Amino acid sequence: MPNEATATLNLASLLKRDPSVYELADSGSFFLDEGYMDEFSIEKPLSWRVRVQSTGDSEFLLTGSVWGEVLMPCRRCLEDTLVNSRADFVYSLHYQPGLSELDLVEQEDDEDYLVFGRPAVDLGQFLSEIFVVDLPLTAVCQDASTCKDLSLLYNNQPSEKQTPFANLVDIELES
């Protein structure tokens, strides 16, 4: 059963090292923290699905996706337009008892990995960051016929003589 409006995964059965349990999967929805919403807005929770597979002593493989809809300003008309986005990920996951939160360990020579210290792992912050990083930088209205392109307003720009730089046209520069 999906977790409603949270992104918590309980890995207790994997941590017991029961040979009959080598994989866990879960899905649900969660609300994106408002701190991420500078360039867009969101009206519905994001959806997520993850799978964790045991790969050795205290090591796991985390794979999954996070997706949802955001409203972003159209780069042509500046009106809000709906953008569907999806981010897929694969990370090594290491168990280190005593840690209170999921944390990313960045490595220069090797791949980055995640560490956790409790059986119940809150993936909300991690999924939020993955989703936001994968959002497009700009959006365009899906229906071009209704988009009022603001650049068309500037096609009838004044001639050079009417601009503040008109006086610079006659300047002779010596080299």
Side-chain angles (χ1 to χ4, degrees), residues 29-163:
S29 60
F30 71 102
F31 292 98
L32 189 65
D33 186 342
E34 289 182 17
Y36 288 103
M37 295 187 267
D38 290 339
E39 301 294 324
F40 61 89
S41 62
I42 191 167
E43 296 176 2
K44 297 190 285 188
L46 299 176
S47 298
W48 60 274
R49 181 179 353 221
V50 296
R51 178 182 304 164
V52 179
Q53 299 170 306
S54 179
T55 59
D57 289 340
S58 301
E59 294 183 8
F60 306 91
L61 181 65
L62 173 69
T63 59
S65 302
V66 58
W67 65 94
E69 298 175 341
V70 297
L71 289 172
M72 296 178 73
C74 171
R75 69 176 180 213
R76 292 185 292 197
C77 68
L78 302 180
E79 295 294 326
D80 282 343
T81 186
L82 189 63
V83 175
N84 290 311
S85 186
R86 178 185 184 99
D88 299 314
F89 55 87
V90 176
Y91 277 90
S92 291
L93 187 61
H94 299 254
Y95 178 61
Q96 291 182 2
L99 293 176
S100 60
E101 295 180 356
L102 184 68
D103 195 20
L104 178 67
V105 176
E106 297 180 25
Q107 306 240 328
E108 285 186 29
D109 299 339
D110 230 356
E111 289 187 24
D112 298 344
Y113 62 91
L114 297 166
V115 292
F116 69 101
R118 296 185 179 170
V121 180
D122 182 3
L123 299 171
Q125 180 76 22
F126 168 73
L127 293 173
S128 296
E129 290 174 9
I130 292 289
F131 181 77
V132 170
V133 166
D134 271 10
L135 280 174
L137 295 176
T138 62
V140 178
C141 288
Q142 294 176 354
D143 185 0
S145 65
T146 61
C147 182
K148 297 177 183 172
D149 192 346
L150 293 176
S151 68
L152 297 177
L153 296 175
Y154 298 103
N155 281 344
N156 297 328
Q157 291 183 0
S159 68
E160 277 186 35
K161 295 294 181 189
Q162 297 172 335
T163 69

